[in-house]
């Protein structure tokens, strides 16, 4: 537990497991995240390996873990591909990743070579990520590389600056000032998989804080969840079935696309595209199950002009 009494995000681990499970398996040539598995601990890699091998375990609890990782893999593939493409198309010298969790972009996107990255996250989650990076640095590179000196994932971004912020309590602007972010220079903002965990007031306050540091030429890529009775029921069912992953991280705000667009417009950000994950999955040509989380998950790109 962190000083604020809250543990590191478990959903951040789940989405990392989803990316690790999908690496080399889903949407080849469009999706790849070879770094994700390196941020996972041995017990977290087990369901990933099972999903990759398509061998569901027999125990009920194990099976629930397996199904969560499998479902998550389906969701994170279109989400990651869409976001990576949006970032590549709107690169600036500064990329701020809000609620970064176990995001691997600073370690896997060579296009970030001339970009400074700020990874903003809750202190407990950030501490956990840094511990995982250190652990990855002290393990052999892989089964065929046992004799090689230990080496952690190497950042490919120009720099990575870890910035602790609890969106419910802290002032984002003050934290970014202290971390050397330049508000007068264009910034690409990424906010993936975080909005549902914040209240409407916290979402509004965060948009206000980032907009205050957003000059023309900047962009915001935001992934959020639209209201859906089926997705809500599915999440409830997972909790009832005993998934401890989502238990401590309830959804607090869902946004209709028009409400999200209106909020961003209030702060000078114009939505250029806003697609459901299901539509994005179809563009990948992969057969996507009609999961409600794919239907209600969205990626919007907004620009400041
Ligand atoms: C589902 S994870 C997504 C992580 C990452 N963006 C990704 O897509 O892989 C949710 C993230 O939101 C962060 N988060 C949730 N509430 C937060 C808060 N009040 N302040 C800061 N970060 C928060 C968690 O720490 C976690 O890293």
């Amino acid at each position: 537990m962190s000083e604020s009494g809250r543990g590191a995000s478990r959903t951040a681990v789940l989405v990392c497991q989803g990316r690790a499970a999908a690496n080399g398996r889903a949407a080849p040539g469009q999706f790849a995240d070879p770094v994700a598995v390196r941020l996972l601990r041995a017990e977290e890699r087990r369901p990933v390996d099972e999903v990759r091998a398509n061998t569901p375990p027999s125990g009920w609890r194990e099976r629930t873990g397996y199904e969560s990782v499998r479902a998550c893999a389906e969701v994170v593939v279109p989400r990651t591909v869409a976001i990576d493409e949006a970032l590549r198309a709107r690169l600036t010298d500064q990329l701020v990743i809000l609620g970064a969790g176990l995001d691997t972009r600073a370690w896997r996107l060579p296009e970030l070579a001339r970009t400074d990255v700020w990874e903003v996250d809750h202190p407990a989650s950030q501490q956990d990520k840094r511990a995982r990076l250190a652990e990855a640095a002290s393990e052999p590179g892989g089964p065929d590389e046992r004799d090689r000196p230990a080496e952690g994932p190497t950042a490919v971004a120009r720099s990575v600056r870890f910035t602790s912020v609890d969106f419910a309590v802290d002032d984002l602007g003050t934290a970014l000032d202290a971390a050397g972010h330049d508000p007068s220079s264009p910034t690409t903002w990424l906010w993936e998989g975080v909005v549902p965990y914040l209240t409407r007031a916290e979402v509004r306050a965060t948009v206000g804080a980032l907009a205050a540091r957003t000059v023309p030429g900047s962009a915001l890529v935001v992934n959020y969840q639209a209201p859906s009775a089926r997705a809500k029921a599915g999440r409830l069912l997972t909790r009832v079935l005993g998934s401890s992953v989502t238990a401590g991280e309830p959804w607090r705000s869902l946004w209709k696309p028009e409400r999200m667009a209106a909020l961003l417009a209030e702060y000078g950000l114009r939505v250029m595209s806003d697609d459901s994950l299901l539509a994005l999955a179809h563009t990948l040509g992969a057969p996507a199950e009609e999961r409600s989380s794919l239907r209600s998950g969205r990626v919007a790109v907004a620009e400041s002009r």
Side-chain angles (χ1 to χ4, degrees):
M1 283 284 181
S2 69
E3 280 171 17
S4 62
R6 168 180 165 156
S9 168
R10 307 220 23 212
T11 58
V13 175
L14 178 61
V15 282
C16 186
Q17 287 175 305
R19 289 190 289 260
N23 181 47
R25 290 279 190 282
Q30 295 175 92
F31 172 85
D33 190 345
V35 183
V37 69
R38 303 197 60 190
L39 298 181
L40 297 174
R41 298 188 169 123
E43 67 279 13
E44 296 159 352
R45 288 183 191 180
R46 199 170 311 123
V48 168
D49 292 339
E50 289 163 351
V51 169
R52 291 174 66 76
N54 207 7
T55 51
S58 47
W60 174 70
R61 191 164 289 280
E62 291 75 13
R63 181 67 191 247
T64 308
Y66 169 94
E67 292 301 341
S68 303
V69 172
R70 196 168 73 91
C72 189
E74 273 183 39
V75 171
V76 292
V77 169
R79 178 167 126 179
T80 304
V81 172
I83 290 174
D84 287 356
E85 276 175 12
L87 293 181
R88 286 190 190 102
R90 291 168 184 79
L91 267 194
T92 56
D93 287 352
Q94 307 188 106
L95 170 64
V96 178
I97 306 181
L98 300 164
L102 301 179
D103 190 291
T104 56
R105 291 185 174 85
W107 289 266
R108 72 174 171 81
L109 288 184
E111 293 87 349
L112 295 177
R114 282 186 291 186
T115 298
D116 296 311
V117 176
W118 283 261
E119 285 218 343
V120 176
D121 208 348
H122 188 279
S125 303
Q126 191 153 83
Q127 205 177 356
D128 178 60
K129 182 176 196 172
R130 298 182 78 162
R132 286 168 186 270
L133 284 165
E135 287 160 30
S138 62
E139 72 171 13
D144 303 327
E145 306 169 61
R146 300 255 181 249
D147 299 331
R148 241 187 32 173
E151 220 179 77
T154 307
V156 290
R158 182 163 59 194
S159 68
V160 186
R161 305 172 196 195
F162 294 102
T163 312
S164 290
V165 173
D166 180 344
F167 297 124
V169 176
D170 302 318
D171 184 69
L172 176 62
T174 307
L176 284 173
D177 269 336
H181 172 257
D182 177 2
S184 66
S185 175
T187 298
T188 309
W189 302 89
L190 170 58
W191 206 7
E192 178 187 16
V194 188
V195 169
Y197 302 105
L198 305 179
T199 63
R200 294 188 97 75
E202 288 161 3
V203 172
R204 173 174 284 279
T206 305
V207 172
L210 74 86
R213 311 179 69 87
T214 293
V215 293
S218 302
L220 165 68
V221 182
V222 55
N223 159 236
Y224 66 98
Q225 211 66 32
S228 149
R230 275 179 63 196
K232 209 170 161 188
R235 235 180 120 77
L236 198 65
L237 184 67
T238 325
R239 284 168 69 179
V240 170
L241 287 177
S243 169
S244 48
V245 173
T246 52
E249 293 170 73
W251 279 354
R252 294 193 162 95
S253 74
L254 305 171
W255 296 76
K256 288 186 180 159
E258 56 272 25
R259 295 283 297 272
M260 179 55 76
L263 172 70
L264 299 181
E266 253 185 74
Y267 290 93
L269 288 156
R270 182 162 162 227
V271 172
M272 311 305 289
S273 65
D274 186 344
D275 299 299
S276 77
L277 295 182
L278 188 61
L280 293 167
H282 285 316
T283 66
L284 294 179
E289 273 187 43
E290 301 274 314
R291 288 191 188 282
S292 45
S293 44
L294 273 174
R295 260 182 202 290
S296 54
R298 306 188 68 85
V299 174
V301 180
E303 289 179 354
S304 155
R305 298 179 160 215

